[in-house]
Amino acid sequence: MRARASRGRAACSHGRILSPWRLAITSFATLSRALAFDPIPNPNFDLSKLGQVGIAGDFNGISFYEFQGQTEEPSSSNGSQRLMSRLPNGVFVDLLSADASITNMCVFQGKVMLGGNFTSVGGKQAVGMASYNPETFEVTPLSGLSGQVNSLFCDDDAGKVYVGGSFRAQDSFNAITWLDSSKWASLPFAGFNGPVTSIAKASDGHIIFGGSFTGLGNASTPSIPDAQTINLNTARLTSYQGAKTAGFSDPKNVICNTDGTDGPDKTWLLEDNVPGNLAASFDFGFQPSKLRLRNTHLDGRGTRTWRFTAQPNNGIMNFTYIQPGTGKNISCTSECPLSDDPSVDHQDFHFVNMVGMNAFRIDISDWYGQGGGLKSVELYQDDVFTFAMNDFNEPPCANSSTPSKSESTGPWDVTPSGQSNSQYLSAALSKPITADAATVTFFPDIRESGDYVFKLYTPGCLQDGTCARRGQVDVFGTLNTTSGRQHLNQGRSIYQTNEFDKYDQIFFGNVDVATNSFRPSITLAPVAGQSLTSDDMLMVAQKIGVERMNTTGGLNGLFEYDPAKAKVDTSDFASSAINKLGSTFDSESAVSSVISTDKRIYIGGNFTSPTISNIAAIDTDGQTRPLDGGLNGGIMDMYESDGQLFVGGSFDNIQKGGATGLSHVAVYDEEKNTWTPLGAGVDGTVMHVAPMTLNLTGNATEEAIALTGDFLQILPFGDNEALNTTGFAVWVKSRSNWLQNLDGPVPLLNGRLATSLLNAPDHELYAGSISSQALRAFGVASTNGLLGNFPIKISPPSMSSSKPTSKVSKRASVTNNTDAVSGIVTGLFDTSNDRNLTVLAGHFATKSTNGSMIYNLAFIDRKDSDSVTGLGTDLPSGSVFLTVAVQGDTVFAGGRVNGTILDSDVNGLISYDVKSGSLGTQPPVLAGNDVVVSAIGVRPSSSDLYVAGSFDTAGSLPCPAVCLLDTGSNQWTRPGFELSGTVNTLLWQSSSTLLVGGQLKVGDADAFVASYDVSGNKWTVFNGASDLPGPVDALTPATEKRDKLWAAGTRTDGSVYLMKYDGGWKPASITLEPDTVVTSLQMFSLTEDHDKSDLVDQREALLITGSIQIPDFGAASGAIYNGTTLQPYILTSSMNTTVGAGSLSKFFVEKENFFKSSTKHGLAVGFIVLIGLAISLGLILLIVVAGLALDRYRKKRDGYVPAPTSMIDRGSGMQRIPPHELLDSLGRGRPGAPTV
């Protein structure tokens, strides 16, 4: 997809978009001005001769492929999100991807500002914030920020964007501004001591910040600077021109020699009278603040001058130090002096510039006595880190009784640092994931009690190629002696799928000093039972960081800032009604959402006071409104529209009680001062509330409210039953109901929606991860060019079976993999005997018209008000039907099914009397090792029913693979004696020739296609079948005469092939990607010709269904092959939401007139010439005949009579005429009409 100057495409013949969206395409006119999505050429299928048409499969949503950008890609389950817009058919389309959440958006001077927890956007490294240009589609990272952005407010008038979150930028923490001059600018108060979650602008121009802070401020200078000792014990140490004297040559002598002793194994020396150096390299990075050196005095030796070079940037560092003797503060660079006074135990040199490094070199340029040397080198830093790898933590000689350390359990391995700043631990965990599969516990060295920020650092996944295997982790902490063990990060798990290095601020609050009896600790563990797309999970652990916060105090989650003031008066917080309201909250309160309207400022979160509970409003006059007492649980998000405030969170009632239906979501009416439910709510916490638009009438779009959170069910209310979901629901305001409850043609929406921007330049924008299709349809859809619903609601088989199901298995036909089948596999339209019955078969559950449960086989009677009947508990609900056929008044259904009907065993095949609506006498039971009936075919112009699959006997008759059922006598007959094996598909080539495909044997010969001659009662290997590379899974005629065929099958390596038979087998000109599954093939006539091809007639195209992996596109449930190219045709979403993409089983039709077209195609030139000649000859003949007839008529009118022709008695028959009478008439005119 790429925007172009073109507009949306005109309506195509046999249009393919769900009608409400097509009729309302003008609603997206503004969108198309900026985003002109490239339309896909119409496939021009001619469905006019087919009657009713059904599409069967495993899906709960379906779309025709109409615009570039449409995909079957499911919503993300790894924490990544996308910036999205809408196509003219209403389907969501991705504009760009981020590796984590996009939590907020706003428009700033024509560009869209994006904030979140990402480290990359649109393929570019961007930490926390980026801008998106909707005109050029370019992403610009806004570098300089580290951490997570939670909230944005774009102020075009002021030329700045207010940014809030849990981050560090310049000298600010958690709040800063981005200017229209494209640079960061700190606020006068340098941020907050805790995260900011919401920013709004009041009607008076003041900026309101909400979050989890207690004061203004940023990181403070530690009261104990240079507190953490950098571990040199595990460094790789080398020296240049070091002494060769035993006991003095090893540079490790200078490590942890803190007692200042000179001597063997305590001192490192250079050779006599030469310069030299000592170098150290590390597997982790650090930013030292102090270097401590102890000079040697051994035999009068010592270092006089030296310099320190940081690597890898190879920069010589600047220092300040106190000069011994004078006490002066002196600076030095390339020739720093070191005292030779024995009374000076050590000298401390402070780094002027804080520079990150992972190696260093100390060069000694001058010396005392015979040569230089050192007896101790120590490095310190202000930063407090605790690594997962203990080798990087503080050494045993650190000046601390509680040095930092870590402990781990599980299968951890060391991973190279790559682009990260240190090595880290990785653990490959097998599914299912348990919380104790691997853990790392960090014990930081906390030297003083106070308010701290804890950060969890996660290395990026691109550098080690593990993005697809990364998952989620939980973080727990015991940080003070009173709170006990807590689930940190506000109880939320953390995704480790970041492409580049990141940190998450997991805790802000009070931390007690480490002692011998108490150690603050942080534990990292995998989220138990998490859903993974890979075969295992790779968990990583690197380090945690701790920063002491400097704070003014006096705040509690709210702050009002006046941009007109250059300075903030911290002594005057109480003059603000906003700040004053926060001061009434209980301790450890948090504000999650602030919304400003013309009349009020709404404040929601997790806070209480004597009169307020979790939500309040402040009028323009400064009066606080408790909103009917508030709600009894925390609020996570809010959205206001036309005087209605939609809120989501963890509540279930108003604070004073007495309300019903307020389960985690409610709406507050500003005028009535009342809370009302949205249905009956949902069963779990709502995290995000975002507006979106829908078109349900075909006339115009309307606003709806999307909820995202940790809920699994929409609760029942009124006549609406409970609905399962995966944390996503849409409330349609105009219908006062959930989108998921509405009947009729509605779109399918699944996934997560974090935020939306309905007023973006020229179009709507959404952030999250949404999988959508134009039509919500469960397992089956109808089409006559437009998609539509059948009057039945199919449910996934999980309702009916405890056996887990998944998408159609790759590299296995459904015959051999029925455990993976769900949805509708096949169907038929029975219009015989004055019926109009739709038969649906597969592995599903639904309800009959009378409310009883139906499993796996259903009937819709279109002549009886679309009443639904079917199999109930007559057979096990885990049965799977793969094929159906109708003969007379009996429907035969085959698959993997066994049980007992009317005291008769059934296995693989059942019969159902549609006239009486009951299971009657059953065919004699099939038997074998693993009985599956995969295909049923009625012989043309007969009542013979051929049943194929995997079985050995039918009744008492040996009858492997294919057996003939006489439906009149209900007896089996073995057709031929040569065939055995497993049949996947069958096809009548004529009334006397049956073709079957699969893993077969004909006599002793292996075969993938076999032919049966009815008249000769004999099986043979089909012509050229030995050229096929593997078992055939699907067959279809390529011409109306059925003398040519298409076949799809599976090679021995598991890949899928497609070949055509035309006297011999020819491979298709396309490659089907790995993991392709073909379930059916079908030729269609077209209304317009396509380009010429040797394999497919210009007037036809081949439809391939299943799960088709198309190069440079991905998965499609249906694809069209025109002899040269393969194009997506139908896209679906799965009924199994953990799988994502769906699949198609087949098209089924009322009339199999696939080779008949409503379009009259021209004849070949030769035929036209011959017909012209024939017409010309015919016309000449007609002219001759007409001339003769006219001449005869004239003669008759003029009185001519035929001359005598008989020669008998000719002379006696003539009357003699005198000559004068004969000639007399020559001078006269024509005689007149006779008169009487």
Side-chain angles (χ1 to χ4, degrees), residues 75 95 165 176 225 249 317 328 543 645 666 775 998 1022 1091 1122 1132:
S75 58
L95 301 179
I176 198 170
S249 61
M317 303 304 296
K328 292 181 179 180
K543 65 181 178 180
L645 184 70
L775 177 70
F1022 184 73
D1091 293 339
N1122 63 6
T1132 65

Side-chain angles (χ1 to χ4, degrees), residues 916-955:
S916 64
S918 63
L919 292 162
T921 302
Q922 298 298 307
V925 67
L926 300 173
N929 184 41
D930 191 11
V931 174
V932 177
V933 171
S934 58
I936 304 173
V938 179
R939 181 187 173 193
S941 304
S942 79
S943 61
D944 293 342
L945 193 78
Y946 284 74
V947 178
S950 175
F951 48 83
D952 298 325
T953 63

